[in-house]
Coordinates of all heavy atoms in Angstrom, one line a residue:
M1 N -42.7 -23.6 59.3 CA -44.0 -22.8 59.6 C -45.1 -23.4 58.7 O -44.8 -23.6 57.5 CB -43.8 -21.4 59.4 CG -45.0 -20.6 59.9 SD -45.1 -18.8 59.8 CE -43.5 -18.2 60.3
N2 N -46.2 -23.7 59.3 CA -47.3 -24.3 58.5 C -48.5 -23.4 58.2 O -49.5 -23.8 57.7 CB -47.7 -25.6 59.2 CG -48.3 -25.3 60.6 OD1 -48.6 -24.1 60.9 ND2 -48.5 -26.3 61.4
G3 N -48.3 -22.1 58.5 CA -49.5 -21.2 58.3 C -50.3 -21.0 59.6 O -50.9 -20.0 59.7
W4 N -50.2 -21.9 60.5 CA -51.0 -21.7 61.8 C -50.4 -20.6 62.6 O -51.2 -19.9 63.2 CB -51.0 -23.0 62.6 CG -51.9 -24.1 61.9 CD1 -51.5 -25.2 61.3 CD2 -53.3 -24.1 61.8 NE1 -52.5 -25.9 60.8 CE2 -53.7 -25.3 61.1 CE3 -54.3 -23.2 62.2 CZ2 -55.0 -25.6 60.8 CZ3 -55.6 -23.5 61.9 CH2 -55.9 -24.7 61.2
D5 N -49.1 -20.5 62.6 CA -48.5 -19.4 63.4 C -49.0 -18.0 62.9 O -49.3 -17.1 63.6 CB -47.0 -19.4 63.3 CG -46.4 -20.6 64.1 OD1 -47.1 -21.1 65.0 OD2 -45.3 -21.1 63.7
E6 N -49.0 -17.9 61.5 CA -49.4 -16.6 60.9 C -50.9 -16.4 61.2 O -51.3 -15.3 61.5 CB -49.2 -16.7 59.4 CG -49.4 -15.4 58.7 CD -49.0 -15.5 57.3 OE1 -48.1 -16.2 56.9 OE2 -49.7 -14.8 56.5
L7 N -51.7 -17.4 61.2 CA -53.1 -17.3 61.5 C -53.3 -16.9 63.0 O -54.1 -16.0 63.3 CB -53.9 -18.6 61.2 CG -55.4 -18.5 61.6 CD1 -56.1 -17.5 60.8 CD2 -56.0 -19.9 61.3
D8 N -52.6 -17.5 63.9 CA -52.6 -17.2 65.3 C -52.3 -15.7 65.5 O -52.9 -15.0 66.3 CB -51.7 -18.1 66.1 CG -52.3 -19.5 66.3 OD1 -53.5 -19.7 66.1 OD2 -51.5 -20.4 66.7
R9 N -51.2 -15.2 64.9 CA -50.8 -13.8 65.0 C -51.9 -12.9 64.5 O -52.2 -11.9 65.1 CB -49.5 -13.6 64.2 CG -48.3 -13.3 65.0 CD -47.1 -12.9 64.3 NE -46.9 -13.4 62.9 CZ -46.3 -14.6 62.7 NH1 -45.9 -15.4 63.6 NH2 -46.2 -15.0 61.4
F10 N -52.5 -13.3 63.4 CA -53.6 -12.4 62.8 C -54.8 -12.4 63.8 O -55.3 -11.3 64.0 CB -54.0 -13.0 61.5 CG -55.3 -12.3 60.9 CD1 -55.2 -11.0 60.4 CD2 -56.5 -12.9 61.0 CE1 -56.3 -10.4 59.9 CE2 -57.6 -12.3 60.5 CZ -57.6 -11.0 60.0
L11 N -55.1 -13.5 64.3 CA -56.3 -13.6 65.2 C -56.1 -12.9 66.6 O -57.0 -12.4 67.2 CB -56.7 -15.0 65.5 CG -57.3 -15.7 64.2 CD1 -57.5 -17.2 64.5 CD2 -58.6 -15.1 63.7
S12 N -54.8 -12.8 67.0 CA -54.5 -12.1 68.2 C -54.2 -10.6 68.0 O -53.9 -9.9 69.0 CB -53.3 -12.8 68.9 OG -52.1 -12.6 68.2
T13 N -54.3 -10.1 66.8 CA -54.1 -8.7 66.6 C -55.2 -7.8 67.3 O -56.4 -8.1 67.2 CB -54.2 -8.4 65.0 OG1 -53.2 -9.2 64.4 CG2 -54.0 -6.9 64.8
D14 N -54.7 -6.8 67.9 CA -55.6 -5.9 68.6 C -56.5 -5.2 67.6 O -56.0 -4.6 66.6 CB -54.8 -4.9 69.4 CG -55.6 -4.0 70.3 OD1 -56.8 -3.7 69.9 OD2 -55.1 -3.6 71.3
P15 N -57.8 -5.3 67.7 CA -58.7 -4.6 66.7 C -58.5 -3.1 66.5 O -58.9 -2.5 65.6 CB -60.1 -5.0 67.1 CG -60.0 -5.4 68.5 CD -58.6 -5.9 68.7
R16 N -57.9 -2.5 67.6 CA -57.6 -1.1 67.5 C -56.4 -0.7 66.7 O -56.2 0.4 66.3 CB -57.5 -0.5 68.9 CG -58.7 -0.6 69.8 CD -58.4 -0.2 71.2 NE -57.4 -1.2 71.7 CZ -56.8 -1.0 72.9 NH1 -57.1 -0.1 73.7 NH2 -55.9 -1.9 73.3
D17 N -55.6 -1.7 66.3 CA -54.3 -1.5 65.6 C -54.6 -0.8 64.3 O -55.4 -1.3 63.5 CB -53.7 -2.9 65.3 CG -52.3 -2.8 64.7 OD1 -52.0 -1.8 64.0 OD2 -51.5 -3.7 64.9
V18 N -54.0 0.3 64.1 CA -54.2 1.2 62.9 C -53.4 0.8 61.7 O -53.7 1.3 60.6 CB -54.0 2.7 63.2 CG1 -55.0 3.2 64.2 CG2 -52.6 2.9 63.6
G19 N -52.4 -0.1 61.9 CA -51.6 -0.5 60.7 C -50.4 0.4 60.5 O -50.3 1.5 61.1
C20 N -49.5 -0.1 59.7 CA -48.2 0.7 59.5 C -48.4 2.0 58.9 O -47.8 3.0 59.4 CB -47.3 -0.2 58.7 SG -46.7 -1.7 59.4
D21 N -49.2 2.1 57.9 CA -49.3 3.4 57.2 C -49.8 4.5 58.1 O -49.3 5.6 58.1 CB -50.3 3.3 56.0 CG -49.6 2.5 54.8 OD1 -48.4 2.3 54.8 OD2 -50.4 2.0 54.0
K22 N -50.9 4.3 58.8 CA -51.5 5.3 59.7 C -50.5 5.6 60.8 O -50.4 6.7 61.2 CB -52.8 4.8 60.2 CG -53.6 5.8 61.0 CD -54.1 6.9 60.1 CE -55.0 7.8 60.9 NZ -55.5 8.9 60.1
A23 N -49.9 4.5 61.4 CA -49.0 4.8 62.5 C -47.8 5.6 62.0 O -47.4 6.6 62.8 CB -48.4 3.4 63.0
M24 N -47.3 5.4 60.9 CA -46.2 6.2 60.4 C -46.6 7.6 60.0 O -45.8 8.6 60.2 CB -45.5 5.6 59.1 CG -44.7 4.3 59.5 SD -43.3 4.6 60.6 CE -44.0 3.9 62.1
D25 N -47.8 7.8 59.5 CA -48.3 9.1 59.2 C -48.4 10.0 60.5 O -48.2 11.2 60.4 CB -49.7 9.1 58.6 CG -49.8 8.6 57.2 OD1 -48.7 8.6 56.6 OD2 -50.9 8.3 56.7
L26 N -48.7 9.4 61.6 CA -48.9 10.2 62.9 C -47.8 10.0 63.9 O -47.8 10.5 65.0 CB -50.2 9.8 63.5 CG -51.4 10.2 62.7 CD1 -52.7 9.7 63.4 CD2 -51.5 11.8 62.7
L27 N -46.7 9.2 63.5 CA -45.7 8.9 64.5 C -45.0 10.1 65.1 O -44.8 10.2 66.3 CB -44.6 8.0 63.8 CG -43.6 7.4 64.8 CD1 -44.3 6.5 65.7 CD2 -42.5 6.7 64.0
H28 N -44.8 11.2 64.3 CA -44.1 12.4 64.9 C -45.0 13.0 65.9 O -44.6 13.5 66.9 CB -43.7 13.3 63.7 CG -44.9 13.9 63.0 ND1 -45.7 13.1 62.1 CD2 -45.5 15.1 63.0 CE1 -46.6 13.9 61.6 NE2 -46.5 15.1 62.1
V29 N -46.3 13.0 65.6 CA -47.3 13.6 66.6 C -47.3 12.8 67.9 O -47.3 13.3 69.0 CB -48.7 13.7 66.0 CG1 -49.7 14.2 67.0 CG2 -48.7 14.6 64.7
Y30 N -47.4 11.5 67.7 CA -47.4 10.5 68.8 C -46.2 10.7 69.7 O -46.3 10.8 70.9 CB -47.6 9.1 68.3 CG -47.8 8.1 69.4 CD1 -49.0 8.0 70.1 CD2 -46.8 7.2 69.8 CE1 -49.2 7.1 71.1 CE2 -47.0 6.3 70.8 CZ -48.2 6.2 71.4 OH -48.4 5.3 72.4
V31 N -45.0 10.7 69.1 CA -43.7 10.9 69.8 C -43.7 12.2 70.6 O -43.3 12.2 71.7 CB -42.5 10.8 68.8 CG1 -41.3 11.2 69.5 CG2 -42.4 9.3 68.4
E32 N -44.1 13.2 70.0 CA -44.2 14.5 70.6 C -45.0 14.5 71.9 O -44.6 15.0 73.0 CB -44.6 15.6 69.7 CG -44.4 17.0 70.1 CD -42.9 17.4 70.2 OE1 -42.1 16.9 69.4 OE2 -42.6 18.1 71.1
L33 N -46.2 13.8 71.8 CA -47.1 13.7 72.9 C -46.5 12.8 74.0 O -46.6 13.1 75.2 CB -48.5 13.3 72.5 CG -49.6 13.3 73.5 CD1 -49.7 14.7 74.2 CD2 -50.9 12.9 72.9
V34 N -45.9 11.7 73.6 CA -45.3 10.8 74.5 C -44.2 11.4 75.3 O -44.1 11.2 76.5 CB -44.7 9.5 73.8 CG1 -43.7 8.7 74.6 CG2 -45.8 8.6 73.2
T35 N -43.4 12.3 74.7 CA -42.4 13.0 75.5 C -42.9 13.9 76.6 O -42.2 14.1 77.6 CB -41.5 13.9 74.6 OG1 -42.2 14.9 74.0 CG2 -40.8 13.0 73.5
R36 N -44.1 14.4 76.4 CA -44.7 15.3 77.4 C -45.7 14.5 78.4 O -45.7 14.8 79.6 CB -45.4 16.4 76.8 CG -44.5 17.4 76.1 CD -45.2 18.5 75.4 NE -46.1 17.8 74.4 CZ -46.8 18.4 73.5 NH1 -46.9 19.7 73.5 NH2 -47.5 17.8 72.6
H37 N -46.5 13.7 77.8 CA -47.6 13.0 78.6 C -47.8 11.6 78.0 O -48.7 11.3 77.2 CB -48.9 13.8 78.5 CG -48.8 15.2 78.8 ND1 -48.7 15.6 80.1 CD2 -48.8 16.3 78.1 CE1 -48.6 16.9 80.2 NE2 -48.7 17.4 78.9
P38 N -46.9 10.6 78.4 CA -47.0 9.3 77.9 C -48.4 8.6 78.0 O -48.9 8.0 77.0 CB -46.0 8.5 78.7 CG -45.1 9.5 79.2 CD -45.9 10.7 79.4
E39 N -49.1 8.7 79.1 CA -50.4 8.1 79.3 C -51.4 8.8 78.4 O -52.3 8.1 77.9 CB -50.8 8.1 80.8 CG -50.1 7.0 81.6 CD -50.3 5.6 81.0 OE1 -51.5 5.3 80.7 OE2 -49.3 4.9 80.9
A40 N -51.3 10.1 78.3 CA -52.3 10.8 77.4 C -52.1 10.4 76.0 O -53.1 10.3 75.2 CB -52.0 12.3 77.6
A41 N -50.9 10.1 75.6 CA -50.6 9.7 74.2 C -51.3 8.3 73.9 O -52.0 8.1 72.9 CB -49.1 9.6 73.9
R42 N -51.2 7.4 74.9 CA -51.8 6.1 74.7 C -53.3 6.2 74.7 O -54.0 5.4 74.0 CB -51.3 5.1 75.8 CG -49.8 4.7 75.5 CD -49.3 3.7 76.5 NE -48.9 4.2 77.7 CZ -47.7 4.7 77.9 NH1 -46.8 4.8 76.9 NH2 -47.3 5.2 79.1
R43 N -53.8 7.1 75.5 CA -55.3 7.2 75.6 C -55.8 7.9 74.3 O -56.9 7.6 73.8 CB -55.7 8.1 76.8 CG -55.8 7.3 78.1 CD -56.5 8.0 79.2 NE -56.0 9.4 79.4 CZ -54.9 9.8 80.1 NH1 -54.3 8.9 80.8 NH2 -54.6 11.0 80.2
R44 N -55.1 8.9 73.8 CA -55.6 9.7 72.7 C -55.4 8.9 71.4 O -56.2 9.0 70.4 CB -54.8 11.0 72.6 CG -55.3 11.8 71.4 CD -54.9 13.2 71.5 NE -55.4 14.0 70.4 CZ -55.4 15.2 70.3 NH1 -54.9 16.0 71.2 NH2 -56.0 15.8 69.2
Y45 N -54.4 8.1 71.3 CA -54.0 7.3 70.1 C -53.9 5.8 70.4 O -52.8 5.2 70.3 CB -52.7 7.8 69.5 CG -52.8 9.2 69.0 CD1 -52.2 10.3 69.7 CD2 -53.5 9.6 67.8 CE1 -52.3 11.6 69.3 CE2 -53.6 10.9 67.4 CZ -52.9 11.9 68.1 OH -53.0 13.2 67.7
P46 N -55.0 5.2 70.9 CA -54.9 3.8 71.3 C -54.5 2.9 70.1 O -53.9 1.8 70.3 CB -56.3 3.4 71.8 CG -57.2 4.4 71.2 CD -56.3 5.7 71.0
G47 N -54.9 3.3 68.9 CA -54.6 2.5 67.7 C -53.1 2.5 67.4 O -52.6 1.5 66.9
I48 N -52.5 3.6 67.6 CA -51.0 3.7 67.4 C -50.3 2.9 68.5 O -49.4 2.1 68.2 CB -50.5 5.1 67.3 CG1 -51.1 5.8 66.1 CG2 -49.0 5.2 67.3 CD1 -50.8 7.3 65.9
A49 N -50.7 3.0 69.7 CA -50.1 2.3 70.8 C -50.2 0.8 70.6 O -49.3 0.0 70.7 CB -50.7 2.7 72.1
A50 N -51.4 0.4 70.1 CA -51.6 -1.1 69.8 C -50.7 -1.5 68.7 O -50.1 -2.6 68.8 CB -53.1 -1.3 69.5
H51 N -50.6 -0.7 67.7 CA -49.7 -1.1 66.6 C -48.3 -1.2 67.0 O -47.6 -2.1 66.6 CB -49.9 -0.1 65.4 CG -49.1 -0.5 64.2 ND1 -49.4 -1.6 63.4 CD2 -47.9 0.0 63.7 CE1 -48.5 -1.7 62.5 NE2 -47.6 -0.8 62.6
L52 N -47.8 -0.2 67.7 CA -46.4 -0.3 68.2 C -46.1 -1.5 69.0 O -45.0 -2.0 69.0 CB -46.0 1.0 68.9 CG -46.1 2.3 68.0 CD1 -45.8 3.5 68.8 CD2 -45.1 2.2 66.8
R53 N -47.1 -1.9 69.8 CA -46.9 -3.2 70.6 C -46.7 -4.4 69.7 O -46.0 -5.3 70.0 CB -48.0 -3.4 71.6 CG -48.0 -2.5 72.8 CD -49.0 -2.9 73.8 NE -50.3 -2.9 73.4 CZ -51.1 -1.8 73.4 NH1 -50.7 -0.7 73.9 NH2 -52.4 -1.9 73.0
A54 N -47.4 -4.4 68.5 CA -47.5 -5.5 67.7 C -46.4 -5.5 66.5 O -46.1 -6.6 66.0 CB -48.9 -5.6 67.1
C55 N -45.9 -4.4 66.1 CA -45.1 -4.3 64.9 C -43.7 -3.9 65.3 O -43.4 -2.7 65.6 CB -45.7 -3.3 63.9 SG -44.8 -3.2 62.4
G56 N -42.8 -4.9 65.2 CA -41.4 -4.6 65.6 C -40.7 -3.5 64.8 O -40.1 -2.6 65.4
P57 N -40.8 -3.5 63.4 CA -40.2 -2.4 62.7 C -40.7 -1.0 63.0 O -40.0 -0.1 63.1 CB -40.5 -2.8 61.2 CG -40.7 -4.3 61.3 CD -41.3 -4.6 62.6
C58 N -42.0 -0.9 63.1 CA -42.6 0.4 63.5 C -42.2 0.8 64.9 O -41.9 2.0 65.1 CB -44.1 0.4 63.3 SG -44.7 0.4 61.6
N59 N -42.1 -0.1 65.8 CA -41.7 0.2 67.2 C -40.2 0.6 67.2 O -39.9 1.5 67.9 CB -41.9 -1.0 68.1 CG -41.7 -0.6 69.5 OD1 -42.3 0.4 70.0 ND2 -40.8 -1.2 70.2
E60 N -39.4 0.0 66.3 CA -38.0 0.5 66.2 C -38.0 1.9 65.7 O -37.2 2.7 66.2 CB -37.2 -0.4 65.2 CG -36.9 -1.8 65.8 CD -36.2 -2.6 64.9 OE1 -35.6 -2.1 63.9 OE2 -36.2 -3.9 65.1
D61 N -38.8 2.3 64.7 CA -38.8 3.6 64.2 C -39.3 4.6 65.4 O -38.7 5.7 65.5 CB -39.8 3.8 63.1 CG -39.2 3.1 61.8 OD1 -38.0 2.8 61.8 OD2 -40.0 3.0 60.8
F62 N -40.3 4.2 66.1 CA -40.8 5.0 67.2 C -39.7 5.2 68.3 O -39.4 6.3 68.7 CB -42.0 4.2 67.9 CG -42.3 4.8 69.3 CD1 -42.9 6.0 69.4 CD2 -42.1 4.0 70.4 CE1 -43.2 6.5 70.7 CE2 -42.4 4.5 71.7 CZ -42.9 5.7 71.8
E63 N -39.0 4.1 68.7 CA -37.9 4.2 69.7 C -36.8 5.1 69.2 O -36.3 5.9 69.9 CB -37.4 2.8 70.0 CG -38.4 1.9 70.7 CD -38.7 2.4 72.1 OE1 -37.9 3.2 72.7 OE2 -39.8 2.0 72.6
G64 N -36.5 5.0 67.9 CA -35.4 5.9 67.3 C -35.8 7.3 67.3 O -35.0 8.2 67.7
L65 N -37.0 7.6 66.9 CA -37.5 9.0 66.9 C -37.6 9.5 68.3 O -37.2 10.7 68.6 CB -38.8 9.1 66.1 CG -39.4 10.5 65.9 CD1 -38.4 11.4 65.2 CD2 -40.7 10.4 65.1
L66 N -38.1 8.7 69.2 CA -38.2 9.1 70.6 C -36.8 9.4 71.2 O -36.6 10.5 71.9 CB -38.9 8.0 71.4 CG -39.2 8.3 72.9 CD1 -40.1 9.6 73.0 CD2 -39.8 7.1 73.6
A67 N -35.8 8.6 70.9 CA -34.5 8.9 71.3 C -33.9 10.2 70.7 O -33.3 10.9 71.4 CB -33.6 7.7 71.0
A68 N -34.2 10.4 69.5 CA -33.7 11.6 68.8 C -34.3 12.9 69.4 O -33.6 13.9 69.7 CB -34.0 11.6 67.3
V69 N -35.6 12.8 69.7 CA -36.3 13.9 70.3 C -35.9 14.2 71.7 O -35.8 15.3 72.1 CB -37.9 13.7 70.1 CG1 -38.6 14.7 70.9 CG2 -38.3 13.8 68.7
S70 N -35.7 13.1 72.5 CA -35.4 13.3 73.9 C -33.9 13.4 74.1 O -33.5 13.7 75.3 CB -36.0 12.1 74.7 OG -35.4 10.9 74.3
G71 N -33.1 13.2 73.1 CA -31.7 13.4 73.3 C -31.0 12.2 73.9 O -29.9 12.4 74.4
T72 N -31.6 11.0 73.9 CA -31.0 9.8 74.4 C -30.7 8.9 73.3 O -31.2 9.0 72.2 CB -31.9 9.1 75.4 OG1 -33.1 8.7 74.8 CG2 -32.3 10.1 76.6
S73 N -29.8 7.9 73.6 CA -29.6 6.9 72.6 C -29.9 5.5 73.2 O -29.8 5.3 74.4 CB -28.1 6.9 72.2 OG -27.3 6.7 73.3
G74 N -30.4 4.6 72.4 CA -30.9 3.4 72.9 C -29.9 2.3 72.8 O -29.8 1.3 73.2

């Protein structure tokens, strides 16, 4: 890796992305809304939706919490 890949990733980041800290702060609220109204969750919290698309570790936490809340296993 020569640094260009990292720069490309940075430049393609959705400007609405709230980052890991904010996403984790509100993840339980987001998951609760996703279980009832998935589209409403994405509209109300576009920054969290953008972050979860971009961040593998946070998306894993989201999927795990969603599975726990909905009673399914991934």
Side-chain angles (χ1 to χ4, degrees):
M1 190 180 312
N2 61 13
W4 289 110
D5 292 333
E6 191 173 323
L7 179 61
D8 285 342
R9 249 190 326 277
F10 172 74
L11 293 174
S12 66
T13 300
D14 189 327
R16 297 172 298 174
D17 187 330
V18 296
C20 295
D21 290 340
K22 187 69 168 181
M24 289 297 105
D25 285 346
L26 292 173
L27 191 63
H28 65 288
V29 174
Y30 186 75
V31 165
E32 193 66 35
L33 189 53
V34 165
T35 62
R36 293 177 299 182
H37 306 287
E39 283 304 313
R42 287 186 277 280
R43 281 192 310 271
R44 183 165 182 168
Y45 298 104
I48 294 175
H51 183 72
L52 295 176
R53 283 191 300 273
C55 182
C58 287
N59 191 55
E60 287 179 19
D61 289 347
F62 164 72
E63 293 293 337
L65 186 54
L66 184 61
V69 168
S70 64
T72 62
S73 61

